[in-house]
Amino acid sequence: MGFFSKLKKFWKAEDAPSETAAAPEREDEAPEQGVEAAPVPADEATPAASSPEIPAATPAPEQPGQEQPSPTAMAEVAAPHPTPAAAPAPEDQTEPPVATAPKTAAAPEPVHQAVAAPVAREPEPAPVATPEPEVAASPSPAVAPAPAPEAGQAPWRNALILELRQAEPKLSVWLDILLADVTTAGPDLWDRLRFLFASLEAPAGEADAFVAKFADWIAVMEYDEVELFRSELQYRLALALDLEDEEDERNRLFLKLSEGLAKTKEQIVKRIDGLLGSHKVIDEAFWEELEEILLMADVGFEPAAKLMEGLRERVRKGGVTDPAAFKDILREELAEIFRTGKTIKAINPPEVVMMIGVNGVGKTTTIAKLAYRDIMRGKKVLIAAGDTFRAAAIEQLQIWARRVGADFYSKGEGADPAAVAFEAMDKVLAGGYDVLYLDTAGRLHTKANLMEELKKIRRVVSKKHPGAPHRSVLVLDATTGQNALSQTKLFNEAAGVDEIILTKLDGTAKGGVVVGIALSFGVPITYVGLGEKMEDLRPFVGQDFAQALLGVG
């Protein structure tokens, strides 16, 4: 017994302080330290066999930094205490003093069981990770509300479907229903626009692309309230959904055209009304006064003569003598003048459009508006800066290309315009573009070298891409009156004009030039500019023009 008491003092004096000192340094060995503390009560249990568990409480002060492992070790020493008896005996080779005494064989056994138990239990602290599944499960309720809005949208969608089906089939009416309770741009507006596309069986990809582009435009323009961009939205929808020819859109165009022709109507219609009121029959004096009115409206001498000839023929064939019926005859004749024959629209893509016209007619902004219309229809567009002579022409066109979302190509100021066209064709063919808008120099049309450059560009483009340019578009300023007729003549001779776009028609009293161009050259007028906005470049319809100008139908 003296040997064991010395051994106990040795453990208490040296081992216990070292354990407490080592405890904070290695937290991962906490179970082993608890096991080392367990033999002390096992030795104390040998002198007092009647109360083996009471000395087990004595190691508690020896582990101040190990409160949690010590109860675990104590419980595990107590729990497996009665189970194994001889299995750990052969493993007891690490402590030679214990092998000398018979009582130590029983005493170390719980110690080795305790050593084995924590080693086996070391994975069991993994239950500490059991809160991790609970933490991982906690986000799942946060994801659950995501489908809830979709379920909540069903009544909203169903109500709109009922309203749209019962409404008049017009884009403006549909838009009124969609925007009934939407006042600002945001998720509600985007959801309803996608809903409109889906209701018209448009692909979801087109709807997403439309919403993304329109949202970007609103951000650039810094618009927020729906009323600020509603007109632009309707215009874009008409293009994207191919509804521009729909009756509602034509009515919008007619109203816009009537407003744009207000000054011309004052010049022509008021005088015609005075003519009709001052004559009781259609006689020679009537025709002479009518010719004077047409010349004052910048129709031109030759075009006016042709118009008079057509009107005389209609009056003669109809046997009309009452001036009150003359407006209807004039409207029919104008509609006939603007009627163009059928042409082949098919092309070998990509389409090449050469834009020509003098400086100051609005050619740059017209290119941007045409590109914008094509982009709204889902086409990939490239704008090439072929006007390399005018100062800041390239920078201005580049800004417009960026605004409308078109790609841009240039070689810099002073470059050869034909070289720009050649390299732009390379880029278009390699890049899978649908349309190339080729800007050209716009110096005065009296410059012979300008016309030669236009011919050279046509030759270069045609060699690179057979059939190009598919359209040669002349841009004219309606405010120039008779000068627009001379520009048309010279450009048509030099470069060939396939169609005409007449700009600034809303700001002139010389709208009669439209009639003069149509009568003189037979070149179709495809678009008219009625303002500065993108939506203000509108397709030209001769019948609508005649009706808006004369106010009869």
Side-chain angles (χ1 to χ4, degrees), residues 25-60:
E25 295 177 1
R26 296 184 297 174
E27 295 179 2
D28 56 334
E29 296 180 359
E32 296 179 0
Q33 292 171 357
V35 171
E36 290 177 1
V40 180
D43 289 343
E44 290 177 357
T46 54
S50 60
S51 58
E53 298 178 4
I54 297 174
T58 57

PDB file of all heavy atoms in Angstrom, residues 25-60:
ATOM      1  N   GLU A  25      -3.854  24.291 -24.263  1.00  0.00           N
ATOM      2  CA  GLU A  25      -3.032  24.289 -25.455  1.00  0.00           C
ATOM      3  C   GLU A  25      -3.587  23.359 -26.512  1.00  0.00           C
ATOM      4  O   GLU A  25      -3.522  23.644 -27.676  1.00  0.00           O
ATOM      5  CB  GLU A  25      -1.596  23.876 -25.113  1.00  0.00           C
ATOM      6  CG  GLU A  25      -0.902  24.885 -24.201  1.00  0.00           C
ATOM      7  CD  GLU A  25       0.486  24.416 -23.827  1.00  0.00           C
ATOM      8  OE1 GLU A  25       0.870  23.333 -24.315  1.00  0.00           O
ATOM      9  OE2 GLU A  25       1.166  25.098 -23.075  1.00  0.00           O
ATOM     10  N   ARG A  26      -4.122  22.199 -26.133  1.00  0.00           N
ATOM     11  CA  ARG A  26      -4.632  21.223 -27.094  1.00  0.00           C
ATOM     12  C   ARG A  26      -6.050  20.838 -26.720  1.00  0.00           C
ATOM     13  O   ARG A  26      -6.256  19.991 -25.879  1.00  0.00           O
ATOM     14  CB  ARG A  26      -3.740  19.980 -27.125  1.00  0.00           C
ATOM     15  CG  ARG A  26      -2.321  20.289 -27.613  1.00  0.00           C
ATOM     16  CD  ARG A  26      -1.513  19.007 -27.716  1.00  0.00           C
ATOM     17  NE  ARG A  26      -1.355  18.391 -26.403  1.00  0.00           N
ATOM     18  CZ  ARG A  26      -0.786  17.175 -26.222  1.00  0.00           C
ATOM     19  NH1 ARG A  26      -0.400  16.459 -27.246  1.00  0.00           N
ATOM     20  NH2 ARG A  26      -0.642  16.678 -25.007  1.00  0.00           N
ATOM     21  N   GLU A  27      -6.962  21.503 -27.336  1.00  0.00           N
ATOM     22  CA  GLU A  27      -8.360  21.218 -27.040  1.00  0.00           C
ATOM     23  C   GLU A  27      -8.811  19.922 -27.675  1.00  0.00           C
ATOM     24  O   GLU A  27      -9.744  19.304 -27.214  1.00  0.00           O
ATOM     25  CB  GLU A  27      -9.253  22.351 -27.567  1.00  0.00           C
ATOM     26  CG  GLU A  27      -8.995  23.664 -26.855  1.00  0.00           C
ATOM     27  CD  GLU A  27      -9.856  24.768 -27.410  1.00  0.00           C
ATOM     28  OE1 GLU A  27     -10.645  24.452 -28.310  1.00  0.00           O
ATOM     29  OE2 GLU A  27      -9.723  25.886 -26.942  1.00  0.00           O
ATOM     30  N   ASP A  28      -8.117  19.511 -28.748  1.00  0.00           N
ATOM     31  CA  ASP A  28      -8.550  18.302 -29.428  1.00  0.00           C
ATOM     32  C   ASP A  28      -8.202  17.067 -28.629  1.00  0.00           C
ATOM     33  O   ASP A  28      -8.684  15.989 -28.907  1.00  0.00           O
ATOM     34  CB  ASP A  28      -7.901  18.241 -30.801  1.00  0.00           C
ATOM     35  CG  ASP A  28      -6.385  18.328 -30.714  1.00  0.00           C
ATOM     36  OD1 ASP A  28      -5.889  18.923 -29.720  1.00  0.00           O
ATOM     37  OD2 ASP A  28      -5.734  17.832 -31.630  1.00  0.00           O
ATOM     38  N   GLU A  29      -7.335  17.150 -27.543  1.00  0.00           N
ATOM     39  CA  GLU A  29      -6.998  16.006 -26.725  1.00  0.00           C
ATOM     40  C   GLU A  29      -7.805  15.985 -25.441  1.00  0.00           C
ATOM     41  O   GLU A  29      -7.423  15.337 -24.483  1.00  0.00           O
ATOM     42  CB  GLU A  29      -5.507  16.029 -26.390  1.00  0.00           C
ATOM     43  CG  GLU A  29      -4.637  15.883 -27.635  1.00  0.00           C
ATOM     44  CD  GLU A  29      -3.159  15.901 -27.290  1.00  0.00           C
ATOM     45  OE1 GLU A  29      -2.867  16.049 -26.095  1.00  0.00           O
ATOM     46  OE2 GLU A  29      -2.333  15.765 -28.199  1.00  0.00           O
ATOM     47  N   ALA A  30      -8.869  16.768 -25.397  1.00  0.00           N
ATOM     48  CA  ALA A  30      -9.678  16.832 -24.185  1.00  0.00           C
ATOM     49  C   ALA A  30     -10.185  15.484 -23.742  1.00  0.00           C
ATOM     50  O   ALA A  30     -10.149  15.172 -22.556  1.00  0.00           O
ATOM     51  CB  ALA A  30     -10.850  17.791 -24.396  1.00  0.00           C
ATOM     52  N   PRO A  31     -10.625  14.619 -24.616  1.00  0.00           N
ATOM     53  CA  PRO A  31     -11.093  13.312 -24.135  1.00  0.00           C
ATOM     54  C   PRO A  31      -9.978  12.506 -23.497  1.00  0.00           C
ATOM     55  O   PRO A  31     -10.178  11.827 -22.516  1.00  0.00           O
ATOM     56  CB  PRO A  31     -11.613  12.637 -25.394  1.00  0.00           C
ATOM     57  CG  PRO A  31     -11.935  13.759 -26.324  1.00  0.00           C
ATOM     58  CD  PRO A  31     -10.934  14.813 -26.006  1.00  0.00           C
ATOM     59  N   GLU A  32      -8.750  12.604 -24.042  1.00  0.00           N
ATOM     60  CA  GLU A  32      -7.659  11.840 -23.457  1.00  0.00           C
ATOM     61  C   GLU A  32      -7.294  12.358 -22.080  1.00  0.00           C
ATOM     62  O   GLU A  32      -6.969  11.632 -21.178  1.00  0.00           O
ATOM     63  CB  GLU A  32      -6.439  11.903 -24.375  1.00  0.00           C
ATOM     64  CG  GLU A  32      -6.712  11.246 -25.723  1.00  0.00           C
ATOM     65  CD  GLU A  32      -5.500  11.349 -26.628  1.00  0.00           C
ATOM     66  OE1 GLU A  32      -4.498  11.923 -26.173  1.00  0.00           O
ATOM     67  OE2 GLU A  32      -5.595  10.862 -27.749  1.00  0.00           O
ATOM     68  N   GLN A  33      -7.365  13.729 -21.899  1.00  0.00           N
ATOM     69  CA  GLN A  33      -7.054  14.265 -20.584  1.00  0.00           C
ATOM     70  C   GLN A  33      -8.088  13.825 -19.560  1.00  0.00           C
ATOM     71  O   GLN A  33      -7.775  13.556 -18.425  1.00  0.00           O
ATOM     72  CB  GLN A  33      -7.015  15.781 -20.668  1.00  0.00           C
ATOM     73  CG  GLN A  33      -5.818  16.266 -21.521  1.00  0.00           C
ATOM     74  CD  GLN A  33      -5.896  17.735 -21.785  1.00  0.00           C
ATOM     75  OE1 GLN A  33      -6.874  18.354 -21.377  1.00  0.00           O
ATOM     76  NE2 GLN A  33      -4.876  18.284 -22.416  1.00  0.00           N
ATOM     77  N   GLY A  34      -9.314  13.768 -20.006  1.00  0.00           N
ATOM     78  CA  GLY A  34     -10.356  13.275 -19.108  1.00  0.00           C
ATOM     79  C   GLY A  34     -10.083  11.830 -18.754  1.00  0.00           C
ATOM     80  O   GLY A  34     -10.362  11.368 -17.655  1.00  0.00           O
ATOM     81  N   VAL A  35      -9.524  11.057 -19.648  1.00  0.00           N
ATOM     82  CA  VAL A  35      -9.231   9.662 -19.371  1.00  0.00           C
ATOM     83  C   VAL A  35      -8.071   9.559 -18.393  1.00  0.00           C
ATOM     84  O   VAL A  35      -8.043   8.731 -17.512  1.00  0.00           O
ATOM     85  CB  VAL A  35      -8.899   8.933 -20.684  1.00  0.00           C
ATOM     86  CG1 VAL A  35      -8.382   7.545 -20.410  1.00  0.00           C
ATOM     87  CG2 VAL A  35     -10.145   8.885 -21.547  1.00  0.00           C
ATOM     88  N   GLU A  36      -7.084  10.448 -18.544  1.00  0.00           N
ATOM     89  CA  GLU A  36      -5.958  10.411 -17.622  1.00  0.00           C
ATOM     90  C   GLU A  36      -6.392  10.784 -16.216  1.00  0.00           C
ATOM     91  O   GLU A  36      -5.822  10.334 -15.251  1.00  0.00           O
ATOM     92  CB  GLU A  36      -4.878  11.376 -18.095  1.00  0.00           C
ATOM     93  CG  GLU A  36      -4.191  10.893 -19.364  1.00  0.00           C
ATOM     94  CD  GLU A  36      -3.179  11.874 -19.876  1.00  0.00           C
ATOM     95  OE1 GLU A  36      -3.021  12.912 -19.201  1.00  0.00           O
ATOM     96  OE2 GLU A  36      -2.565  11.614 -20.906  1.00  0.00           O
ATOM     97  N   ALA A  37      -7.397  11.626 -16.125  1.00  0.00           N
ATOM     98  CA  ALA A  37      -7.894  11.974 -14.803  1.00  0.00           C
ATOM     99  C   ALA A  37      -8.683  10.840 -14.197  1.00  0.00           C
ATOM    100  O   ALA A  37      -8.805  10.737 -12.993  1.00  0.00           O
ATOM    101  CB  ALA A  37      -8.762  13.222 -14.869  1.00  0.00           C
ATOM    102  N   ALA A  38      -9.227   9.965 -15.009  1.00  0.00           N
ATOM    103  CA  ALA A  38     -10.057   8.886 -14.490  1.00  0.00           C
ATOM    104  C   ALA A  38      -9.281   7.881 -13.674  1.00  0.00           C
ATOM    105  O   ALA A  38      -9.801   7.361 -12.701  1.00  0.00           O
ATOM    106  CB  ALA A  38     -10.773   8.179 -15.639  1.00  0.00           C
ATOM    107  N   PRO A  39      -8.024   7.552 -13.962  1.00  0.00           N
ATOM    108  CA  PRO A  39      -7.319   6.574 -13.126  1.00  0.00           C
ATOM    109  C   PRO A  39      -7.166   7.013 -11.686  1.00  0.00           C
ATOM    110  O   PRO A  39      -7.043   6.200 -10.806  1.00  0.00           O
ATOM    111  CB  PRO A  39      -5.959   6.454 -13.798  1.00  0.00           C
ATOM    112  CG  PRO A  39      -6.196   6.864 -15.205  1.00  0.00           C
ATOM    113  CD  PRO A  39      -7.282   7.846 -15.147  1.00  0.00           C
ATOM    114  N   VAL A  40      -7.172   8.304 -11.447  1.00  0.00           N
ATOM    115  CA  VAL A  40      -7.010   8.742 -10.056  1.00  0.00           C
ATOM    116  C   VAL A  40      -8.146   8.262  -9.204  1.00  0.00           C
ATOM    117  O   VAL A  40      -7.932   7.681  -8.151  1.00  0.00           O
ATOM    118  CB  VAL A  40      -6.876  10.280 -10.002  1.00  0.00           C
ATOM    119  CG1 VAL A  40      -6.722  10.750  -8.593  1.00  0.00           C
ATOM    120  CG2 VAL A  40      -5.696  10.700 -10.862  1.00  0.00           C
ATOM    121  N   PRO A  41      -9.385   8.439  -9.610  1.00  0.00           N
ATOM    122  CA  PRO A  41     -10.434   7.851  -8.793  1.00  0.00           C
ATOM    123  C   PRO A  41     -10.385   6.342  -8.811  1.00  0.00           C
ATOM    124  O   PRO A  41     -10.805   5.707  -7.871  1.00  0.00           O
ATOM    125  CB  PRO A  41     -11.730   8.348  -9.427  1.00  0.00           C
ATOM    126  CG  PRO A  41     -11.354   8.797 -10.781  1.00  0.00           C
ATOM    127  CD  PRO A  41      -9.932   9.218 -10.701  1.00  0.00           C
ATOM    128  N   ALA A  42      -9.869   5.751  -9.868  1.00  0.00           N
ATOM    129  CA  ALA A  42      -9.788   4.288  -9.855  1.00  0.00           C
ATOM    130  C   ALA A  42      -8.823   3.819  -8.796  1.00  0.00           C
ATOM    131  O   ALA A  42      -9.038   2.811  -8.130  1.00  0.00           O
ATOM    132  CB  ALA A  42      -9.355   3.792 -11.222  1.00  0.00           C
ATOM    133  N   ASP A  43      -7.723   4.521  -8.592  1.00  0.00           N
ATOM    134  CA  ASP A  43      -6.771   4.153  -7.545  1.00  0.00           C
ATOM    135  C   ASP A  43      -7.335   4.441  -6.172  1.00  0.00           C
ATOM    136  O   ASP A  43      -7.069   3.753  -5.200  1.00  0.00           O
ATOM    137  CB  ASP A  43      -5.462   4.901  -7.758  1.00  0.00           C
ATOM    138  CG  ASP A  43      -4.729   4.365  -8.985  1.00  0.00           C
ATOM    139  OD1 ASP A  43      -5.056   3.248  -9.440  1.00  0.00           O
ATOM    140  OD2 ASP A  43      -3.873   5.098  -9.514  1.00  0.00           O
ATOM    141  N   GLU A  44      -8.066   5.531  -6.052  1.00  0.00           N
ATOM    142  CA  GLU A  44      -8.660   5.847  -4.764  1.00  0.00           C
ATOM    143  C   GLU A  44      -9.746   4.857  -4.398  1.00  0.00           C
ATOM    144  O   GLU A  44     -10.075   4.667  -3.252  1.00  0.00           O
ATOM    145  CB  GLU A  44      -9.265   7.258  -4.816  1.00  0.00           C
ATOM    146  CG  GLU A  44      -8.169   8.340  -4.900  1.00  0.00           C
ATOM    147  CD  GLU A  44      -8.776   9.695  -5.028  1.00  0.00           C
ATOM    148  OE1 GLU A  44     -10.004   9.773  -5.104  1.00  0.00           O
ATOM    149  OE2 GLU A  44      -8.030  10.685  -5.038  1.00  0.00           O
ATOM    150  N   ALA A  45     -10.316   4.211  -5.451  1.00  0.00           N
ATOM    151  CA  ALA A  45     -11.366   3.234  -5.166  1.00  0.00           C
ATOM    152  C   ALA A  45     -10.786   1.957  -4.587  1.00  0.00           C
ATOM    153  O   ALA A  45     -11.481   1.207  -3.943  1.00  0.00           O
ATOM    154  CB  ALA A  45     -12.142   2.936  -6.444  1.00  0.00           C
ATOM    155  N   THR A  46      -9.514   1.673  -4.772  1.00  0.00           N
ATOM    156  CA  THR A  46      -8.929   0.437  -4.260  1.00  0.00           C
ATOM    157  C   THR A  46      -8.833   0.408  -2.757  1.00  0.00           C
ATOM    158  O   THR A  46      -9.121  -0.607  -2.146  1.00  0.00           O
ATOM    159  CB  THR A  46      -7.546   0.232  -4.902  1.00  0.00           C
ATOM    160  OG1 THR A  46      -6.746   1.398  -4.700  1.00  0.00           O
ATOM    161  CG2 THR A  46      -7.708  -0.003  -6.398  1.00  0.00           C
ATOM    162  N   PRO A  47      -8.448   1.497  -2.066  1.00  0.00           N
ATOM    163  CA  PRO A  47      -8.447   1.414  -0.609  1.00  0.00           C
ATOM    164  C   PRO A  47      -9.843   1.422  -0.049  1.00  0.00           C
ATOM    165  O   PRO A  47     -10.072   0.906   1.030  1.00  0.00           O
ATOM    166  CB  PRO A  47      -7.652   2.628  -0.166  1.00  0.00           C
ATOM    167  CG  PRO A  47      -7.630   3.545  -1.331  1.00  0.00           C
ATOM    168  CD  PRO A  47      -7.865   2.728  -2.529  1.00  0.00           C
ATOM    169  N   ALA A  48     -10.800   1.990  -0.651  1.00  0.00           N
ATOM    170  CA  ALA A  48     -12.163   2.029  -0.101  1.00  0.00           C
ATOM    171  C   ALA A  48     -13.082   1.378  -1.103  1.00  0.00           C
ATOM    172  O   ALA A  48     -13.629   2.012  -1.974  1.00  0.00           O
ATOM    173  CB  ALA A  48     -12.578   3.481   0.161  1.00  0.00           C
ATOM    174  N   ALA A  49     -13.277   0.091  -0.951  1.00  0.00           N
ATOM    175  CA  ALA A  49     -14.098  -0.651  -1.913  1.00  0.00           C
ATOM    176  C   ALA A  49     -15.562  -0.439  -1.688  1.00  0.00           C
ATOM    177  O   ALA A  49     -16.374  -0.695  -2.546  1.00  0.00           O
ATOM    178  CB  ALA A  49     -13.764  -2.150  -1.826  1.00  0.00           C
ATOM    179  N   SER A  50     -15.931  -0.043  -0.475  1.00  0.00           N
ATOM    180  CA  SER A  50     -17.355   0.121  -0.191  1.00  0.00           C
ATOM    181  C   SER A  50     -17.966   1.292  -0.922  1.00  0.00           C
ATOM    182  O   SER A  50     -19.141   1.299  -1.197  1.00  0.00           O
ATOM    183  CB  SER A  50     -17.574   0.296   1.325  1.00  0.00           C
ATOM    184  OG  SER A  50     -16.867   1.454   1.754  1.00  0.00           O
ATOM    185  N   SER A  51     -17.185   2.287  -1.236  1.00  0.00           N
ATOM    186  CA  SER A  51     -17.725   3.463  -1.956  1.00  0.00           C
ATOM    187  C   SER A  51     -16.810   3.810  -3.125  1.00  0.00           C
ATOM    188  O   SER A  51     -16.022   4.729  -3.042  1.00  0.00           O
ATOM    189  CB  SER A  51     -17.861   4.656  -1.002  1.00  0.00           C
ATOM    190  OG  SER A  51     -16.609   4.961  -0.445  1.00  0.00           O
ATOM    191  N   PRO A  52     -16.897   3.070  -4.221  1.00  0.00           N
ATOM    192  CA  PRO A  52     -16.011   3.330  -5.348  1.00  0.00           C
ATOM    193  C   PRO A  52     -16.358   4.601  -6.114  1.00  0.00           C
ATOM    194  O   PRO A  52     -15.536   5.157  -6.755  1.00  0.00           O
ATOM    195  CB  PRO A  52     -16.199   2.119  -6.247  1.00  0.00           C
ATOM    196  CG  PRO A  52     -17.548   1.598  -5.897  1.00  0.00           C
ATOM    197  CD  PRO A  52     -17.795   1.969  -4.466  1.00  0.00           C
ATOM    198  N   GLU A  53     -17.599   5.062  -6.074  1.00  0.00           N
ATOM    199  CA  GLU A  53     -17.983   6.199  -6.909  1.00  0.00           C
ATOM    200  C   GLU A  53     -17.720   7.531  -6.225  1.00  0.00           C
ATOM    201  O   GLU A  53     -17.656   8.539  -6.869  1.00  0.00           O
ATOM    202  CB  GLU A  53     -19.470   6.111  -7.280  1.00  0.00           C
ATOM    203  CG  GLU A  53     -19.776   4.869  -8.103  1.00  0.00           C
ATOM    204  CD  GLU A  53     -21.232   4.758  -8.435  1.00  0.00           C
ATOM    205  OE1 GLU A  53     -21.974   5.699  -8.088  1.00  0.00           O
ATOM    206  OE2 GLU A  53     -21.626   3.758  -9.022  1.00  0.00           O
ATOM    207  N   ILE A  54     -17.587   7.529  -4.897  1.00  0.00           N
ATOM    208  CA  ILE A  54     -17.379   8.793  -4.187  1.00  0.00           C
ATOM    209  C   ILE A  54     -16.025   9.383  -4.528  1.00  0.00           C
ATOM    210  O   ILE A  54     -15.935  10.556  -4.796  1.00  0.00           O
ATOM    211  CB  ILE A  54     -17.535   8.594  -2.659  1.00  0.00           C
ATOM    212  CG1 ILE A  54     -18.975   8.156  -2.364  1.00  0.00           C
ATOM    213  CG2 ILE A  54     -17.156   9.847  -1.893  1.00  0.00           C
ATOM    214  CD1 ILE A  54     -19.214   7.791  -0.928  1.00  0.00           C
ATOM    215  N   PRO A  55     -14.931   8.602  -4.575  1.00  0.00           N
ATOM    216  CA  PRO A  55     -13.669   9.232  -4.957  1.00  0.00           C
ATOM    217  C   PRO A  55     -13.697   9.735  -6.390  1.00  0.00           C
ATOM    218  O   PRO A  55     -12.868  10.527  -6.743  1.00  0.00           O
ATOM    219  CB  PRO A  55     -12.650   8.108  -4.810  1.00  0.00           C
ATOM    220  CG  PRO A  55     -13.294   7.115  -3.915  1.00  0.00           C
ATOM    221  CD  PRO A  55     -14.732   7.221  -4.158  1.00  0.00           C
ATOM    222  N   ALA A  56     -14.606   9.232  -7.207  1.00  0.00           N
ATOM    223  CA  ALA A  56     -14.628   9.682  -8.598  1.00  0.00           C
ATOM    224  C   ALA A  56     -14.917  11.159  -8.722  1.00  0.00           C
ATOM    225  O   ALA A  56     -14.637  11.770  -9.720  1.00  0.00           O
ATOM    226  CB  ALA A  56     -15.683   8.898  -9.375  1.00  0.00           C
ATOM    227  N   ALA A  57     -15.489  11.743  -7.713  1.00  0.00           N
ATOM    228  CA  ALA A  57     -15.766  13.175  -7.746  1.00  0.00           C
ATOM    229  C   ALA A  57     -14.536  14.004  -7.473  1.00  0.00           C
ATOM    230  O   ALA A  57     -14.551  15.204  -7.692  1.00  0.00           O
ATOM    231  CB  ALA A  57     -16.854  13.537  -6.743  1.00  0.00           C
ATOM    232  N   THR A  58     -13.480  13.391  -6.917  1.00  0.00           N
ATOM    233  CA  THR A  58     -12.281  14.154  -6.584  1.00  0.00           C
ATOM    234  C   THR A  58     -11.539  14.687  -7.788  1.00  0.00           C
ATOM    235  O   THR A  58     -10.910  15.711  -7.696  1.00  0.00           O
ATOM    236  CB  THR A  58     -11.327  13.264  -5.737  1.00  0.00           C
ATOM    237  OG1 THR A  58     -11.045  12.088  -6.492  1.00  0.00           O
ATOM    238  CG2 THR A  58     -11.966  12.909  -4.431  1.00  0.00           C
ATOM    239  N   PRO A  59     -11.579  14.034  -8.987  1.00  0.00           N
ATOM    240  CA  PRO A  59     -10.826  14.608 -10.104  1.00  0.00           C
ATOM    241  C   PRO A  59     -11.403  15.906 -10.647  1.00  0.00           C
ATOM    242  O   PRO A  59     -10.770  16.533 -11.442  1.00  0.00           O
ATOM    243  CB  PRO A  59     -10.921  13.541 -11.189  1.00  0.00           C
ATOM    244  CG  PRO A  59     -11.263  12.288 -10.482  1.00  0.00           C
ATOM    245  CD  PRO A  59     -12.045  12.700  -9.301  1.00  0.00           C
ATOM    246  N   ALA A  60     -12.617  16.291 -10.244  1.00  0.00           N
ATOM    247  CA  ALA A  60     -13.230  17.496 -10.808  1.00  0.00           C
ATOM    248  C   ALA A  60     -12.363  18.722 -10.672  1.00  0.00           C
ATOM    249  O   ALA A  60     -12.210  19.478 -11.610  1.00  0.00           O
ATOM    250  CB  ALA A  60     -14.597  17.727 -10.172  1.00  0.00           C
TER     251      ALA A  60
END
